[in-house]
Amino acid sequence: MNTNYSGPTIQVHGLRKSYGRQVVLDGIDFEIAQGTVFSMLGPNGAGKTTTVQIISTLISADGGSVRVAGHDLSREPDAVRAAIGVTGQFSAVDKFLTGEENLVLMADLRHMGKHEGRQRAAELLDRFDLAESAGKPVSTYSGGMLRRLDLAMTLVGDPRIIFLDEPTAGLDPRSRRTMWQIVRGLVASGVTIFLTTQYLEEADQLADRIAVLDHGKLVAQGTPAELKRLVPGGHISLQFADATVLESAALVLAPSSRDDEALTLQVPGGGDVRSLKAMLDHLHEAGVEVEGLTVHTPDLDDVFLALTGHPDSTVPREAVAR
């Protein structure tokens, strides 16, 4: 990677790809800052895998431009390959070898010296908590261990940009959180992560920015918080002591939705501090006491369902976070 380069790690402008009459990518644009996690979400067939394959030099685009670590993809593919690492959804390790042998083999493929390769393997085994199992056949590893070894193999060449495709697919919750910690550690060290995942909670936990791809178009992009604000449905739920107080609150905060059995009132709103304070002050001035309060905001599942799967609809340009 060009260590003197200080611009966006990845710059994509007008990227297009078709297979026959089927348009897979219809002129998409996005940038990824260095040392961040960028996640691309979308339904199956939206074009996520095609995007990753183009940027990682596996297939060519029909149009548009891509720069990776300051290198032009079409003119400097070897320089791009030297800057990136790719960890696919399915493990690429050799299960007949030990963990250490897999890493040493990867070091050999990268033309490292024998001593340097073994030293790098030992460092990665220790970093990914695999040292105790280094001499065991990979066929005996758990799913979480396999994913950690797979990522360790990607890091043998010390790439500063890593494409992670479904990194926690099939893992139990504990192993998934371990992988999240590893990803956060990589980003803290300056590595840029391009993440594709079907777990929306994962994108919410890890991504600095998210792009939503649908039918070959980017329908929205921004931080997780910005995307959630695109979707209506946020509300504040207020709990009251009895039906009389609930009735009074409903008159003060109309329009709202009430549940007489639960003694709660739902007030539309995003729940920001300023609006919450104003609402509570309004109730206090009216002599209405609130027993409890919870804020409900749309999550990425709501964003995904609202923005994808509607080929005939578009998100208003002014609503798209940039």
Side-chain angles (χ1 to χ4, degrees):
M1 181 172 177
N2 182 358
T3 56
N4 294 321
Y5 180 71
S6 59
T9 297
I10 296 175
Q11 297 168 288
V12 175
H13 298 292
L15 192 62
R16 307 182 67 87
K17 182 68 177 179
S18 299
Y19 293 100
R21 295 184 177 180
Q22 182 183 4
V23 178
V24 181
L25 295 175
D26 192 10
I28 66 172
D29 303 276
F30 62 89
E31 292 187 351
I32 305 176
Q34 293 188 36
T36 64
V37 178
F38 177 88
S39 183
M40 182 168 280
L41 304 179
N44 291 334
K48 302 186 302 297
T49 299
T50 299
T51 302
V52 171
Q53 288 177 333
I54 291 173
I55 299 174
S56 59
T57 76
L58 295 177
I59 62 175
S60 60
D62 295 333
S65 64
V66 178
R67 296 188 69 84
V68 179
H71 302 290
D72 184 277
L73 180 69
S74 61
R75 293 183 298 181
E76 305 171 274
D78 289 341
V80 170
R81 295 186 192 107
I84 67 173
V86 181
T87 300
Q89 180 178 353
F90 302 102
S91 178
V93 302
D94 188 329
K95 294 186 178 181
F96 292 102
L97 300 178
T98 67
E100 181 180 26
E101 288 169 342
N102 269 280
L103 288 169
V104 170
L105 175 61
M106 183 60 68
D108 289 342
L109 292 173
R110 289 191 166 272
H111 307 292
M112 290 184 178
K114 184 175 181 179
H115 175 72
E116 182 187 5
R118 290 189 176 278
Q119 185 177 41
R120 183 64 175 156
E123 291 172 355
L124 290 168
L125 287 165
D126 184 62
R127 180 176 180 180
F128 286 87
D129 197 23
L130 292 168
E132 292 186 3
S133 305
K136 296 179 180 179
V138 171
S139 58
T140 66
Y141 284 21
S142 67
M145 293 169 67
L146 279 173
R147 295 304 286 162
R148 297 203 306 274
L149 178 61
D150 204 24
L151 183 51
M153 290 177 67
T154 301
L155 291 173
V156 167
D158 197 25
R160 306 309 292 168
I161 306 165
I162 299 177
F163 294 86
L164 286 182
D165 184 19
E166 305 287 346
T168 64
L171 298 187
D172 62 79
R174 186 181 300 277
S175 296
R176 180 172 296 129
R177 290 185 180 277
T178 297
M179 284 297 295
W180 291 357
Q181 291 172 356
I182 291 172
V183 170
R184 291 187 183 109
L186 289 170
V187 173
S189 70
V191 174
T192 302
I193 303 289
F194 189 121
L195 172 71
T196 59
T197 179
Q198 295 290 352
Y199 297 114
L200 300 186
E201 180 195 6
E202 184 162 88
D204 203 357
Q205 286 282 335
L206 296 177
D208 298 289
R209 289 185 65 82
I210 294 172
V212 183
L213 188 65
D214 191 39
H215 293 91
K217 294 179 179 291
L218 280 181
V219 294
Q221 56 180 308
T223 67
E226 287 171 340
L227 293 184
K228 291 171 190 177
R229 287 198 291 270
L230 296 179
V231 180
H235 65 271
I236 299 103
S237 180
L238 301 170
Q239 180 79 44
F240 300 96
D242 55 48
T244 302
V245 182
L246 173 63
E247 178 68 28
S248 299
L251 293 173
V252 173
L253 297 177
S256 56
S257 176
R258 59 191 283 178
D259 185 331
D260 292 296
E261 185 175 344
L263 297 175
T264 59
L265 198 66
Q266 288 189 4
V267 182
D272 60 279
V273 174
R274 181 176 297 178
S275 62
L276 276 175
K277 185 178 184 301
M279 181 184 65
L280 293 175
D281 287 345
H282 195 31
L283 288 170
H284 181 71
E285 290 169 1
V288 178
E289 294 296 326
V290 179
E291 292 289 307
L293 178 151
T294 55
V295 177
H296 300 262
T297 58
D299 57 22
L300 285 183
D301 290 71
D302 298 315
V303 173
F304 187 89
L305 293 172
L307 299 183
T308 65
H310 313 291
D312 297 325
S313 65
T314 58
V315 179
R317 182 176 297 274
E318 63 272 15
V320 178
R322 292 292 180 186

